[in-house]
Amino acid sequence: MTDLTFQGAYLRERLPAFQEIAYTVTNRFLLFFRYHLGTPQVQLVPRWEHSLHNPTWFDSEGKELRGGTRTAVAHPVPGARGELGTKRFKPSDLPDLEAFLASPAEPTLALTLLADAKTAWHERNLRRSVLELAICCEVMVKRKFFAASSPAGAAFDYLEDKAKVSVRVLELLDVVATEAFGRSFKREHSGNYQMIDLLFRCRNKIAHRGMLEYRDDSGNLQIAGQATVEGWWNAVSGLKDWLDSL
């Protein structure tokens, strides 16, 4: 019987370097087909891909080496830890499920955009997540103030299409909301209001320069990471609840 203890330890030490190189090169290869050749339905390899954790090793002469680790890899479940408001199904949810199955409701555009932004966040496509969150804000707020079925909504859409009017979402949530509803999102939820302000600053950087960054109130350039965009998603979700309460 061959003792593979030392060989196994030798290979395990090299596993992280192999994983990083294999992950990077494979996805660059797939990105070329996806964007340069336009190949549809190309999916990038995730870091939990089983083969990245269980490589087959060969020596310089092409002979297979034994002694590497064997790892069981479980696919991650997005939202399992409750990120971005994800909830676990409970027995108390059964009546709602039965009612939905009997009479499904079409999701609103705002809900669709929030869900798409959440999916992009879990896929670590933060630029797309930021863009969808910003669009979601604009859709929710402007439809609340200028209902599509009302004369005011039709007039606003006409003027906006003709570039005759331009109203920032942040203005609508403070001064205009106070005039229209006697309430201000900025006063009631100042933290979320500030996050939405930063969200739109980052949206502008993405739209104009393709950069996932923004300037804070001190003028310092900040990079929007996973935790930052998570906070923005929660702020937009809170805005939706506030608008629904008006």
Side-chain angles (χ1 to χ4, degrees):
M1 181 180 293
T2 304
D3 185 358
L4 299 175
T5 303
F6 295 106
Q7 183 167 290
Y10 176 86
L11 296 176
R12 281 193 298 275
E13 288 177 3
R14 284 148 181 80
L15 182 59
F18 158 79
Q19 290 172 323
E20 189 61 34
I21 293 171
Y23 173 81
T24 301
V25 172
T26 301
N27 280 335
R28 287 179 183 176
F29 180 86
L30 294 172
L31 284 170
F32 178 84
F33 276 81
R34 182 174 182 174
Y35 294 111
H36 288 264
L37 302 183
T39 307
Q41 297 184 323
V42 172
Q43 299 296 323
L44 300 186
V45 173
R47 288 191 178 274
W48 43 260
E49 167 60 39
H50 190 273
S51 59
L52 293 177
H53 296 266
N54 295 285
T56 300
W57 300 96
F58 298 89
D59 63 16
S60 59
E61 299 177 353
K63 180 181 178 182
E64 183 177 342
L65 299 176
R66 293 181 296 145
T69 59
R70 281 291 171 262
T71 305
V73 182
H75 292 191
V77 179
R81 296 181 177 85
E83 307 97 317
L84 279 64
T86 302
K87 302 173 184 177
R88 295 177 182 272
F89 182 82
K90 305 184 299 296
S92 59
D93 294 320
L94 190 56
D96 289 338
L97 172 61
E98 292 174 342
F100 185 85
L101 292 175
S103 181
E106 185 73 19
T108 64
L109 179 56
L111 276 178
T112 300
L113 289 166
L114 267 178
D116 289 346
K118 178 184 291 190
T119 297
W121 184 88
H122 279 290
E123 294 174 348
R124 285 174 166 71
N125 190 342
L126 299 184
R127 287 188 298 182
R128 197 186 91 196
S129 185
V130 168
L131 291 174
E132 288 172 335
L133 284 174
I135 295 171
C136 181
C137 283
E138 292 178 326
V139 168
M140 290 192 302
V141 173
K142 291 183 179 180
R143 287 305 93 194
K144 186 68 177 182
F145 285 81
F146 310 105
S149 59
S150 71
F156 180 84
D157 288 342
Y158 174 82
L159 292 173
E160 192 173 47
D161 290 342
K162 299 296 183 181
K164 299 286 187 180
V165 62
S166 177
V167 183
R168 296 173 66 235
V169 166
L170 294 171
E171 292 179 78
L172 291 170
L173 293 178
D174 184 20
V175 179
V176 180
T178 301
E179 289 293 325
F181 303 104
R183 295 175 61 185
S184 164
F185 184 73
K186 181 179 182 179
R187 289 200 306 270
E188 295 179 26
H189 303 279
S190 59
N192 281 350
Y193 181 90
Q194 175 64 15
M195 285 193 173
I196 291 172
D197 185 8
L198 298 178
L199 165 68
F200 275 93
R201 296 183 199 182
C202 186
R203 188 282 304 268
N204 292 339
K205 284 287 188 180
I206 294 173
H208 298 153
R209 296 182 176 272
M211 304 297 291
L212 191 67
E213 60 188 27
Y214 62 96
R215 291 197 180 275
D216 59 22
D217 289 339
S218 299
N220 299 316
L221 193 64
Q222 304 289 345
I223 305 300
Q226 195 86 355
T228 300
V229 179
E230 179 180 8
W232 293 346
W233 192 97
N234 289 326
V236 174
S237 179
L239 171 61
K240 180 183 179 302
D241 293 339
W242 185 80
L243 291 170
D244 289 343
S245 73
L246 294 179

